[in-house]
Amino acid sequence: MKPFEKKVWLASPTMHGEEMKYMKEAYDTNWMSTVGANINEVERIAAEKAGVKYAVALSACTAALHLCVKLAGEKLYGRPAVGHGAVEGKRVFCSDMTFDATLNPVLYEGGIPVFIDTNPETWNMDPAALEKAFEMYPEVKLVVCAELYGFPGGIREIKEICEKHGALLIEDAAEAMGATYEGRQCGSFGDYSAISYNGNKIITGSAGGCLLTNSLEDANKARKWSTQAREAAAWYQHEEVGYNYRMSNVIAGVIRGQYPHLEEHIARKKAIYDRYAEGLKDLPVKMIPFDEKSVPNYWLSALIIDEDAMCKQVRGETDALYIGEAGKSCPTEILEAIAGLNAEGRPIWKPMHMQPMYRMHEFITVDGTGRAKTNAYIAGEAKDVGADIFARGMCLPSDNKMTPEQQDRIIEVIRACFE
Ligand SMILES: *Cc1c(COP(=O)(O)O)cnc(C)c1O
């Protein structure tokens, strides 16, 4: 099949025009800084949209997550001594199948991530595995949970488990802005939450993120830390470590121009998901699942191949091999076929417990603990939910600007893999 002349991306920025107006406003008024009307507006809109009291506009969602960990650590353990981390030496329960930015900030602050396995029905952190983890480590006081690909699942249940055990919840809603669970917006479940405006997210500022919270005191602290932690004095007075994490007013202009288009982006992503579901419905695959409590933002369409339709696939640390078989396929084969069409798919986030750097970290499944398992995966030999979804699942090209005709060709190429 002839490849597309212009690459079809997994998810790329979709601009509308208003972004330019607000960026230009920043320029024309000379608020080319980390102060200005666009930032104030982004904070107002982000808080209103998520249904929380306060939003703090920052340079990235990763920065927001870092300040979330610092706020939680200080609340739980007090202000750390200079040069020490806010959760130093403490175990923190973390999502396992996610982007590493979810938990990197736990490490910035000296914490020890303990990975919680994934629920096969929702692809998000498994509340039952989290319960198991609290049974094993009742002293743990912090949970960091991400919503996968804009398809929330179990986040209210996870919040309740945290409350029962006196733990705080950080919600990484980077991928889930605009999605709801039981009618509540993602980003409103955590004691502290974070959203992202990274270039490939549902709306974008090219970069940027917000910390969301209902506590004015915490919002003020985050704002202070993000601007080098300067005390109220006539000179530069410092009592604690600071960061340069504030959002630029130019970037905020882009985000301000994008917000009116959030619902339209979600509708477009839903149409993409529905078209894949329809076009692939008689193949031995299932689309990324969600239940009736969840209204996704459909950021990335993902699928999983039925176990008995997997051809042999082996993944090492950096390479993958497969042996094609009639009527069967695997993510490696399908990703190659999609790439051959000049379109971009992606493997599922490789679970953290399978990452070389976390080889010695604990990983807790519904049945109890396990150490990180082998990285090689052979069909039919999955040892845990995350490894299994990683082996059999994949993200499909989900770009807003992909045409139905292009998507039909991608569907055709996927179908051919199972012939
Ligand atoms: C994109 C993403 C982040 C990081 O967002 P940035 O704004 O790029 O820092 C964090 N967590 C998850 C789950 C993400 O997908």
Side-chain angles (χ1 to χ4, degrees), residues 375-386:
N375 286 295
Y377 173 85
I378 297 169
E381 289 183 13
K383 302 283 199 309
D384 53 70
V385 177

Side-chain angles (χ1 to χ4, degrees), residues 330-341:
C330 65
T332 306
E333 181 181 22
I334 297 172
L335 287 168
E336 269 180 28
I338 288 174
L341 203 51

